[in-house]
Amino acid sequence: MNNEDEDDDTEDTCDGDEDGDGVDDEDQNDLFGTVTSYDAITGALTITPLFGSRVSTVRIESSELEWDEGECNGVEEVTNADLLAAPGVEDYELDEDGNLEELEMICPTA
């Protein structure tokens, strides 16, 4: 499973952009799980979901890392230190080889 929306009900009450911020409210601030380990040297990354099995993958050079709101505390770039701080994960995608393609993280409150 690599789609945090698989647990969603078919009668979703938050479909659309009710707050007018340009993001479908259904996908806003969904907590899939957390980054529970990251090795900056090898790129090995483990995501532990709230429900289900751990996801072990590898961050490669082309992996896209981003904050769910586009920035975190005024900073757009995601750093190794951010990954080591065990951020919440909103969504992720793996490529056909099982490597991390995209990771969308939730900014911790300041």
Side-chain angles (χ1 to χ4, degrees), residues 5 7 11 15 19 25 32 35 42 51-53 55 64 66 70 81-82 84 96-97 99 101 107:
D5 288 329
D7 66 344
E11 296 180 21
D15 188 29
D19 59 7
D25 296 339
F32 172 78
V35 172
T42 65
F51 305 99
S53 301
V55 177
E64 295 178 32
E66 56 190 41
D82 294 323
L84 293 168
E96 62 274 356
D97 297 321
N99 295 315
E101 186 172 330
C107 178

Side-chain angles (χ1 to χ4, degrees), residues 4 26 36 62 65-66 72 75 89 95 108-109:
E4 58 85 20
E26 197 278 326
T36 50
S62 61
L65 306 178
E66 56 190 41
C72 181
V75 179
V89 173
D95 66 17
T109 55

Side-chain angles (χ1 to χ4, degrees), residues 7-104:
D7 66 344
D8 288 346
D9 192 297
T10 56
E11 296 180 21
D12 224 332
T13 59
C14 58
D15 188 29
D17 182 20
E18 297 296 319
D19 59 7
D21 66 355
V23 177
D24 190 328
D25 296 339
E26 197 278 326
D27 291 329
Q28 205 165 14
N29 297 320
D30 287 344
L31 179 61
F32 172 78
T34 57
V35 172
T36 50
S37 70
Y38 176 64
D39 184 320
I41 295 171
T42 65
L45 178 89
T46 302
I47 301 168
T48 301
L50 296 177
F51 305 99
S53 301
R54 286 185 199 167
V55 177
S56 296
T57 186
V58 177
R59 176 185 176 193
I60 55 177
E61 188 175 332
S62 61
S63 297
E64 295 178 32
L65 306 178
E66 56 190 41
W67 296 110
D68 64 334
E69 300 294 327
E71 64 178 46
C72 181
N73 301 320
V75 179
E76 291 181 22
E77 184 178 342
V78 176
T79 66
N80 286 339
D82 294 323
L83 290 170
L84 293 168
V89 173
E90 184 171 287
D91 200 5
Y92 73 96
E93 292 180 24
L94 303 180
D95 66 17
E96 62 274 356
D97 297 321
N99 295 315
L100 184 67
E101 186 172 330
E102 183 177 331
L103 181 65
E104 190 170 345

